[in-house]
Amino acid sequence: MITHHPSLLRPSILTLRAVVLGRRPTLNAFLSTTVASATPPLRLRCLRATARGTSPVSGDGGKRAVPPPTLGAALLGFVRSNFLPLALIGGIILGLLDPTLGCLAHKYSLSKYSTFGIFVISGLTLHTRELGAALEAWPAGLYGLGSILLFTPFLAQFIMQVQFFPREFITGLAIFCCMPTTLSSGVTLTQLVGGNSALALAMTVASNLLGIIIVPLSLAKYIGAGVGVSLPTEQLFKSLVTSLLIPLIIGKVARETSKGIADFVDGNRQGFSVASAVLLSLVPWIQVSRSRSLILSVQGKSFAVAVTIGVLHLALLAFNAAMLEILSRLEQKGESVFAKKEYARAVILVASQKTLPVLVAVVEQLGGAFGESGFLVIPCVAAHINQIIIDSIIVNWWRQKDQQFTSAK
């Protein structure tokens, strides 16, 4: 009697039966045939083992157990997934605990070198096709400039209505709203999240150059009510050229003239992203180290309120995201540039940030016209750190969503 379907039996068993059936049956032959047919095939055993959730049988007959991830591996994975916010928070904590190194770094202008390095990396990783795409997305860039230089300064007059002591905290945040976008963090975060870094760079350069003209007008209209304010135009222009354009050109030329460099950069993009994040984390570290004494001199309640008001950045993010959604729906023919992920992310990040170095230069030029310079800067340092940490968390969230989408394909 056959106990299994013939297709599941090994050829050796079928051959044995054919031999047995072809001659006179004996007791030994009958026992051999019965034992062979009663033995479950190896294939069925493996399937049953897998169905029970255990590992298949290995070559030596033992079972291979998949070891659970160790605590060290899980911790390393968490650090890799959240490296940027961890680096920024680590820089802040280090600056508060011991400002000596941060002040020394400021003395030797380490922040300028870090910005230089960020844009060298941006040039090395900038593909030529991104430049063409940035030209295609000029409506998105134009909206970004309008948001940076026109809408956010308009909010300053509403911030000035808040009654709070010391008054310089509110005035400082209002001045912060009138600033152009950040010089490096917006481009770096856009690059990390896979947005169009050429578009981000174009908005950064254009807003800071136009800001030389527009910022004094905004301060006079919304804050100073006629108080004369002048910007260090020549110094600011030189700073933009030396810290943004020159390193970007150096990186781009190196990429285009050497295929080996281009291949190396493309093969190690994650390493260059980590390097950009480390360089970016130097900015809050140095700023907190410089302002540590002022930060600690402020009452906890007052500083907490200033930090809370500094979360105004969330309102800017929500506004820009909503406006891009509305603009993308107004365009009926084809896919709108406002709806494309690489453009939308660049605009949302860059148009929602404000620069701290330009604000410091403006406050120095005010000469105490709007109050104590140190108190004007403190809430802006908090707001600057807030926006970088918030955006780094959003960037990590976007990256995880992209990875899940790619894995699901």
Side-chain angles (χ1 to χ4, degrees), residues 159-160 162 164-176 294-295 297-307 309 370 372 374-380:
I159 294 177
M160 290 295 292
V162 178
F164 186 74
F165 181 82
R167 185 63 187 169
E168 288 88 342
F169 275 20
I170 299 301
T171 304
L173 287 174
I175 296 174
F176 194 61
L294 281 174
I295 292 173
S297 68
V298 177
Q299 293 182 358
K301 180 180 177 181
S302 299
F303 188 74
V305 172
V307 171
I309 298 175
F370 290 162
E372 175 62 36
F375 286 153
L376 289 172
V377 172
I378 283 178
C380 301

Side-chain angles (χ1 to χ4, degrees), residues 220-306:
K221 181 177 182 180
Y222 298 124
I223 302 174
V227 176
V229 176
S230 61
L231 279 176
T233 305
E234 184 178 354
Q235 179 182 353
L236 185 57
F237 181 78
K238 288 181 179 179
S239 175
L240 287 171
V241 172
T242 56
S243 61
L244 274 71
L245 293 182
I246 291 179
L248 181 78
I249 292 172
I250 291 174
K252 183 60 177 172
V253 169
R255 177 183 180 87
E256 296 300 324
T257 55
S258 173
K259 189 177 184 302
I261 292 178
D263 292 340
F264 177 77
V265 172
D266 291 340
N268 297 274
R269 294 187 77 88
Q270 185 176 4
F272 280 94
S273 296
V274 170
S276 292
V278 171
L279 292 174
L280 182 60
S281 67
L282 296 179
V283 176
W285 171 53
I286 293 174
Q287 293 296 339
V288 169
S289 298
R290 287 181 60 199
S291 308
R292 180 179 180 272
S293 58
L294 281 174
I295 292 173
L296 296 180
S297 68
V298 177
Q299 293 182 358
K301 180 180 177 181
S302 299
F303 188 74
V305 172

Side-chain angles (χ1 to χ4, degrees), residues 139-183:
L142 194 61
Y143 163 78
L145 290 177
S147 178
I148 295 167
L149 297 174
L150 298 178
F151 171 70
T152 46
F154 179 74
L155 293 178
Q157 62 182 337
F158 298 102
I159 294 177
M160 290 295 292
Q161 303 303 316
V162 178
Q163 301 299 320
F164 186 74
F165 181 82
R167 185 63 187 169
E168 288 88 342
F169 275 20
I170 299 301
T171 304
L173 287 174
I175 296 174
F176 194 61
C177 285
C178 297
M179 294 298 107
T181 190
T182 52
L183 298 178

